[in-house]
Amino acid sequence: MSGEIILLILRVFGALMLFCFVGGISWLIYRDMQITAVSLAQQSQPIGSIQLITEEKSEPTLFNLLPVTTIGRSATNLVIIEDEFASNEHALLIRRGEQWWLEDLNSRNGTLLNDVVLGETAVVTPSDIITIGNTHLKIKND
């Protein structure tokens, strides 16, 4: 074999290797985009609800819960409570597996879980009462 043929074979082999590498990277990016799209679709679907407990209303107020739900006075929260003792972003409810976890977001007046000040992140069950200021909330089984 002459040197020219060997050089041609090496060039073709190199081009094929480069094509396979770029194709493999493209396929990995495509799969990652598919997985991300499915994950985002799941995060935007309600997976429960929380009830505002009041004595004066006969019809309960329900808020849908997403896997990550913020609670507070600000309109940017998923659960908006109109309570002067609530912070703009007061608390966070996170779904981990089959459990809801409640976290206080360093609010001024704190968050109570069953009349106990929430010091750290805690698991919330449907029978628990979350108190923010004068507002009481209860997770509903769906």
Side-chain angles (χ1 to χ4, degrees), residues 108-123:
R108 278 191 322 243
N109 298 315
T111 303
L112 302 177
L113 182 60
N114 297 323
D115 295 327
V116 177
V117 176
L118 190 66
E120 57 186 34
T121 305
V123 175

Side-chain angles (χ1 to χ4, degrees), residues 118-131:
L118 190 66
E120 57 186 34
T121 305
V123 175
V124 182
T125 63
S127 62
D128 293 335
I129 303 292
I130 301 166
T131 305

